[in-house]
Amino acid sequence: MNETPVPGTTREVTAAAAFAGMRRVVPVVFKAACPDCRGRFELVANALRLAIGGSSRTTFYSFTCPGCGTSVRKPAGDRIVQLLSGAGVRTLRLHSTV
């Protein structure tokens, strides 16, 4: 049933209709490097963790190097926080107890 919407009215859209033209979803990948083994690689969102603290010193992202297994922690500025959180990276908000 193809109905023409009447101006000023809303129309419900099913999930199936909204995604009808999509064929597949391409996962977001991030380029990363390990400071220990100097390996360079790409990681998907679920391989990263983001911790947002009360300051730039307590805001960081982390991952495990797929090459050497080292746990890597790097600072995350505002732009990195936006990119990672927007891509679905699991985020932990750290709260001060002071």
Side-chain angles (χ1 to χ4, degrees):
M1 174 181 260
N2 244 351
E3 294 180 19
T4 305
V6 177
T9 63
T10 59
R11 190 176 116 204
E12 289 186 35
V13 177
T14 65
F19 295 104
M22 295 180 76
R23 294 175 191 237
R24 65 185 176 113
V25 176
V26 178
V28 176
V29 293
F30 296 95
K31 291 184 179 182
C34 177
D36 282 2
C37 72
R38 301 211 182 267
R40 296 190 176 278
F41 39 84
E42 293 183 341
L43 297 171
V44 294
N46 67 359
L48 295 155
R49 302 290 177 272
L50 174 63
I52 300 175
S55 71
S56 60
R57 289 179 29 187
T58 57
T59 300
F60 60 91
Y61 66 98
S62 62
F63 58 90
T64 300
C65 175
C68 68
T70 298
S71 204
V72 179
R73 177 176 162 167
K74 295 190 175 188
D78 291 340
R79 181 74 176 133
I80 291 175
V81 169
Q82 288 177 343
L83 290 171
L84 295 178
S85 59
V89 170
R90 282 183 266 183
T91 302
L92 173 65
R93 296 199 180 270
L94 306 174
H95 295 285
S96 173
T97 57
V98 179

